[in-house]
Amino acid sequence: MKIIGLLCVLAVAGVAIAQEPLKDDPKCKDPALFTRMPGFFMPVDSCCREVQFDTRKFLVQKGTEAVEQEVEGRKLDYEYTFDRSREAAPPSNLQVQRNFQNAVLKLGGKVLYAEKEGYYRTTLFLARGGKEIWAEVRTSGSVDGDQYYLAIVEREAMKQDIVANAEVMKDGLAETGHAEIAGIFFDFNKAEIKPESQAALDETVKLLRADPALRVWVVGHTDNVGTAEANVKLSNTRASAVVAALVKAGIDARRLAAHGAGPYAPKAANTTEEGRAQNRRVELVAQP
């Protein structure tokens, strides 16, 4: 169990020994997606943590094997402890697991993994609000489920703090014939440009207005997840969306042409999430 969980266990142990009723630390709130099991609390602030962007590995069942799936996005960690001062007995490990699994299934999600040896552990998946939500529920492995740990990652692209710059793109086109438009965002498997892409589009318009003779291909790239045919189609649709946005901003359509390269021109290995993120991009390529 991670250090956050260990600190929470140690802190709660002192409360449990005294058999004082548990109550939540004011800083700890339940996640929006899940309610908690009855009788459970987060008594100290180390029982909950949020990181705006991080990575976590989830177990996923692939045939007869369990494989790790790395997921990046907003990461939330919670650890709940049962209040043993109550007259009611804590639930079983399986009862905790089944409650979370059933909740996700009712929302149209999936159970991607379930384990019943040592620590009871399950991986849950739900597509909601344009995001992939991954969750792991893990119980203590003791006779009953007096503690459980909940990890959630809301999968999304990292917020790009550095966006395209007209001068940088100009230099890239002059030196190598192509330049990435950093800061163009799309939702998963979608081609609609997200509003936070506006700064990058503005810089691209600035570049094109400064050199009226410049003609470019707008080239979309993807990672290798899914079929090559689907990725080529998606990348072409995204490139066309960027062209449409530039035309709407006043750039002559005759200076622009969309092209989808799909997974065929990666800039990094597709073996890691970091590499795949680098490969999902839009570039300008100078036309002769």
Side-chain angles (χ1 to χ4, degrees), residues 21-36:
L22 298 183
K23 61 181 180 180
D24 284 335
D25 185 279
K27 296 180 181 179
C28 290
K29 306 295 181 184
D30 292 320
L33 184 62
F34 296 110
T35 58
R36 69 180 66 185

Side-chain angles (χ1 to χ4, degrees), residues 161-224:
D161 295 315
I162 300 174
V163 299
N165 177 278
E167 287 299 318
V168 173
M169 287 191 288
K170 177 183 177 181
D171 292 343
L173 288 168
E175 294 172 7
T176 66
H178 65 95
E180 182 177 351
I181 312 177
I184 297 290
F185 301 107
F186 303 90
D187 281 327
F188 177 73
N189 207 31
K190 303 290 185 181
E192 292 77 23
I193 301 173
K194 300 186 75 171
E196 52 264 43
S197 306
Q198 191 58 51
L201 290 171
D202 291 344
E203 287 295 310
T204 308
V205 171
K206 180 180 177 181
L207 166 74
L208 294 167
R209 284 178 176 168
D211 184 359
L214 178 62
R215 298 163 60 91
V216 295
W217 286 292
V218 178
V219 183
H221 298 268
T222 68
D223 57 29
N224 67 352

Side-chain angles (χ1 to χ4, degrees), residues 137-151:
V137 181
R138 184 171 59 195
T139 50
S140 63
S142 58
V143 176
D144 50 35
D146 59 348
Q147 289 181 325
Y148 70 88
Y149 170 75
L150 171 64

Side-chain angles (χ1 to χ4, degrees), residues 3-4 6-7 9 21-22 25 64 82 93 121 137 142 160 184 197 201 207 222 230 234 263 278-279:
I3 292 177
I4 179 177
L6 179 59
L7 292 175
V9 170
L22 298 183
D25 185 279
T64 59
F82 185 74
N93 291 291
R121 179 164 45 178
V137 181
S142 58
Q160 184 71 28
I184 297 290
S197 306
L201 290 171
L207 166 74
T222 68
L234 177 63
Q278 292 183 56
N279 293 333

Side-chain angles (χ1 to χ4, degrees), residues 4 16-17 52 113 201 208 225 246 284:
I4 179 177
I17 291 173
Q52 284 302 311
Y113 179 77
L201 290 171
L208 294 167
V225 177
L246 296 175
L284 299 180

Side-chain angles (χ1 to χ4, degrees), residues 5 7 10 45 49-50 66 84 125 127 130 145 193 200 217 224 229 231 239 242 246 252 284 288:
L7 292 175
L10 293 176
D45 60 5
R49 184 176 67 170
E50 176 181 346
R84 287 193 173 274
F125 173 86
I193 301 173
W217 286 292
N224 67 352
E229 293 79 7
N231 279 318
V242 174
L246 296 175
D252 189 341
L284 299 180

